[in-house]
Amino acid sequence: MKRSGLPVFVRLDGRPAILVGDGAMAEAKRRLLERAGAVIVGEDAPAQIALVACEDPEPVVARLKARGLLVNVADRPDLCDFTLPAIVERDPVTIAIGTGGASAGLAAALRQRIEPLVPAGLGAFADALAAARGAMRARWPDGGERRRALGAALSGPLDPLQAQDREAVARWIAGSDAPGDRTETIVLSSADPDDLTLRQARWLAQADRVTHRVDVPAAILDRARADADRMLCDVAPQGLPGLTVDVATAR
């Protein structure tokens, strides 16, 4: 059973969310809901989600689930319909780290490691990219070409883990060329995705399609974009548009 579930971001700004409980854990849940802009209500109010942090939560959870609510229960992953991740926030950018309820301490430790890597100005950089959508569409009318250009920039001059000034996005749009069609080849040194080089991992993350042999592990293919085409073939086709990443195992 896959315990981690499907990661989603739920818009709660101005919407009701039930909070049941008191004490330090309930207050922590309250702060999370307030940061999300939720209107915190009691158990009997209409809502779509509920957070429970109380002794003997089973009866409360049963009542809430009978009404069709999705429920989170503090320290009881077995009762949860969803879990709350550790968060690194640079509004509007949010990095969420979850463990499927296995260990909140592990999620917190990972957040502490990641937090110093994320520039304070990342949110402003995200807003600059949003404001430049029209200019990017005009510069690269084809959607695939536009995505490849942005992917290449975010791996280079617009690296999001480096501080970017306010004009960085405009300079990039004005001065960059459209990325050409190309094929990159990955010959795996092992079946462990952690053995991929940084460059190989970036290729997979940016690929329009992944061509591969039958013995390439699923764990490697899972590192590619979810919407990238997968093509099982003995030899990678030539002349395909965009970025093709061909993956083979070492012989």
Side-chain angles (χ1 to χ4, degrees):
M1 181 180 67
K2 184 173 174 58
R3 292 179 293 164
S4 55
L6 177 68
V8 296
F9 289 92
V10 179
R11 293 186 181 275
L12 289 178
D13 195 24
R15 300 175 65 182
I18 292 171
L19 176 62
V20 179
D22 51 28
M25 186 63 71
E27 283 305 305
K29 304 291 188 184
R30 179 180 297 277
R31 288 192 293 272
L32 282 174
L33 290 172
E34 288 173 344
R35 283 171 56 183
V39 177
I40 300 172
V41 296
E43 179 184 343
D44 296 328
Q48 293 178 309
I49 71 168
L51 276 61
V52 177
C54 64
E55 297 291 336
D56 190 26
E58 284 88 348
V60 178
V61 170
R63 292 194 298 269
L64 293 169
K65 290 191 177 186
R67 292 167 49 192
L69 275 75
L70 296 176
V71 181
N72 169 271
V73 186
D75 292 332
R76 290 293 303 273
D78 57 306
L79 296 178
C80 289
D81 296 309
F82 66 95
T83 57
L84 297 174
I87 295 171
V88 177
E89 189 163 20
R90 303 287 188 270
D91 189 35
V93 177
T94 300
I95 301 170
I97 305 152
T99 64
S103 173
L106 174 59
L110 290 170
R111 180 192 63 77
Q112 291 163 12
R113 295 287 294 274
I114 293 170
E115 181 98 45
L117 303 177
V118 183
L122 183 62
F125 176 59
D127 287 335
L129 287 172
R133 283 186 183 131
M136 284 190 277
R137 289 192 184 99
R139 179 69 177 81
W140 299 286
D142 177 76
E145 187 177 88
R146 185 166 59 249
R147 182 187 53 74
R148 291 192 294 275
L150 181 58
L154 293 172
S155 296
L158 295 185
D159 183 348
L161 295 184
Q162 301 294 324
Q164 302 288 344
D165 64 58
R166 293 185 178 183
E167 303 305 319
V169 175
R171 284 198 307 273
W172 162 66
I173 293 172
S176 60
D177 295 323
D181 303 331
R182 73 186 202 275
T183 297
E184 302 289 356
T185 300
I186 297 174
V187 178
L188 299 174
S189 60
S190 82
D192 187 345
D194 287 343
D195 289 336
L196 291 167
T197 67
L198 179 58
R199 177 172 295 181
Q200 291 170 339
R202 283 178 172 172
W203 286 343
L204 285 169
Q206 296 170 14
D208 295 286
R209 73 195 53 80
V210 178
T211 57
H212 63 95
R213 311 299 87 81
V214 69
D215 57 351
V216 172
I220 299 292
L221 299 178
D222 286 345
R223 293 297 177 97
R225 295 169 36 238
D227 58 347
D229 292 334
R230 271 73 165 170
M231 298 175 60
L232 177 62
C233 54
D234 292 328
V235 179
Q238 299 301 307
L240 297 173
L243 172 58
T244 299
V245 176
D246 186 52
V247 187
T249 55
R251 298 295 183 182

